[in-house]
Amino acid sequence: MRHRNGGEHIYYLGLGLLWEKDTGKSRRNYSLVVRELGYMREHGMLPWWWITDGTRVVRQEAQYGSVEDALERLVEAYRRNLWASQSRRVEAWCESDSVAGVLLPVTSAWGVGLYSCRGQSSKTFVYEAVQEYARQDKALTVIFAGDWDPSGRSVPRSVAERMERYGEGGLDLDFQQIAVTAADVRSGQFATHDVNTADVNFKRYREECLREGIAPHTAVEVEALSPGLLRSRLSDAIEDLVDDVRQWNIQSRTEEAERELLRTLHRRVRELMLRTADERTAEGDEDE
């Protein structure tokens, strides 16, 4: 499986404008993009946070400097589950960590889970997901962003098939692909590349392309779509799934009221800790 990063997204957006597409086994222009991006970040010419690295995962229990510190973090992180008032559970899945970094601001704003498949999802990944859905006993919509190529098209197909099988037909699943779509490929607006006909998924890919009126030897990677376009599509798709707007607004107002309650609690605890510290200082002065 090929590693995907923010450099690849920049590379695709610059094709035909700043550099030509690499051909064959050459990675010359792509390597140039990665090298220059690294130079620009290290020399303060490009903010580090503009490019994300979803592979850096730290597994450690949350720790705090004090109760006040813990409350401050809670105020910042508190979110009410607004989707509990809706008829469906909603998740966003994408093919790579680089695309996950692009979509994260949208999923965070909407309170939707974001999952990076990193290529083909493992059987364990899908099985555990289905078990969690079964415990919640709620219909599910998965919004997916991935490549239009033999491997990319096999991801949503195999995930849907496995979910149906592992859920023994009891899972109400709606699988929506927002990118790359057949319409994107037909539009001719995005950079293409030749398909690997040796891919084990090519036969089914070819059949799908012919049904959609697309040349089977054409492929488009999701990084060819701009971050703004991907975020816009995802936000629109999520918003369309809010079927009880009245309850959503009620829960949103409740969330803000609860967050204000936490802010008040945080202020009171801080005042109490300052007063306690002053009293201990005074006691120490008296002992001297």
Side-chain angles (χ1 to χ4, degrees):
M1 180 182 65
R2 188 158 49 90
H3 176 66
R4 315 284 285 276
N5 55 43
E8 186 161 1
H9 217 140
I10 302 299
Y11 166 74
Y12 270 96
L13 293 178
L15 289 179
L17 299 173
L18 301 174
W19 44 76
E20 297 303 316
K21 192 175 190 308
D22 292 323
T23 58
K25 295 182 180 181
S26 172
R27 303 282 282 173
R28 179 177 178 276
N29 289 331
Y30 174 73
S31 298
L32 174 65
V33 171
V34 173
R35 185 168 62 252
E36 291 302 315
L37 287 175
Y39 178 89
M40 292 171 71
R41 284 180 288 170
E42 290 175 349
H43 290 79
M45 303 165 65
L46 186 72
W48 283 94
W49 60 269
W50 278 17
I51 298 178
T52 62
D53 182 358
T55 64
R56 187 177 185 275
V57 179
V58 180
R59 294 175 173 84
Q60 182 179 12
E61 295 296 326
Q63 301 175 22
Y64 308 98
S66 64
V67 173
E68 180 190 351
D69 182 31
L71 283 172
E72 184 175 4
R73 301 283 185 87
L74 178 58
V75 171
E76 295 172 352
Y78 177 73
R79 297 288 298 274
R80 172 173 275 263
N81 181 12
L82 305 184
W83 290 100
S85 65
Q86 305 302 303
S87 64
R88 304 188 70 86
R89 174 188 173 98
V90 178
E91 292 181 354
W93 289 32
C94 58
E95 194 170 332
S96 66
D97 291 323
S98 66
V99 178
V102 169
L103 301 180
L104 183 59
V106 176
T107 56
S108 295
W110 282 101
V112 167
L114 175 61
Y115 300 86
S116 173
C117 300
R118 297 181 180 177
Q120 189 65 263
S121 297
S122 70
K123 293 180 174 64
T124 300
F125 180 94
V126 178
Y127 177 81
E128 291 178 349
V130 170
Q131 299 310 301
E132 176 62 25
Y133 303 146
R135 283 191 289 272
Q136 296 191 19
D137 192 26
K138 199 168 189 177
L140 169 70
T141 294
V142 172
I143 304 171
F144 181 74
D147 300 337
W148 186 279
D149 63 14
S151 296
R153 293 304 297 150
S154 73
V155 172
R157 183 171 59 245
S158 65
V159 167
E161 290 173 351
R162 287 175 182 174
M163 283 185 167
E164 179 70 19
R165 187 165 69 252
Y166 298 160
E168 299 179 350
L171 178 63
D172 182 352
L173 173 65
D174 172 35
F175 207 101
Q176 300 181 11
Q177 180 144 354
I178 59 169
V180 175
T181 66
D184 290 331
V185 183
R186 284 195 296 264
S187 73
Q189 298 178 15
F190 307 104
T192 63
H193 64 84
D194 293 334
V195 170
N196 176 16
T197 57
D199 192 307
V200 295
N201 301 295
F202 178 72
K203 182 179 179 180
R204 294 186 70 173
Y205 174 77
R206 181 178 183 278
E207 294 171 352
E208 182 176 11
C209 284
L210 292 176
R211 287 196 304 271
E212 296 288 350
I214 297 171
H217 294 278
T218 298
V220 176
E221 297 202 7
V222 68
E223 283 87 354
L225 280 66
S226 71
L229 179 58
L230 289 173
R231 289 173 182 149
S232 176
R233 287 188 183 182
L234 177 58
S235 184
D236 289 345
I238 295 174
E239 185 174 6
D240 287 344
L241 292 166
V242 178
D243 50 23
D244 192 335
V245 177
R246 177 176 176 276
Q247 277 299 318
W248 183 276
N249 291 335
I250 290 174
Q251 295 301 317
S252 295
R253 290 193 293 270
T254 302
E255 177 186 61
E256 183 53 40
E258 291 172 337
R259 190 178 290 113
E260 182 56 37
L261 176 63
L262 289 171
R263 292 192 190 101
T264 300
L265 179 60
H266 175 238
R267 287 194 297 270
R268 296 290 175 81
V269 169
R270 182 172 55 192
E271 292 169 0
L272 177 61
M273 293 184 70
L274 287 173
R275 187 162 58 247
T276 301
D278 290 341
E279 291 173 353
R280 288 176 178 172
T281 300
E283 291 175 359
D285 293 342
E286 291 177 359
D287 291 341
E288 292 179 1

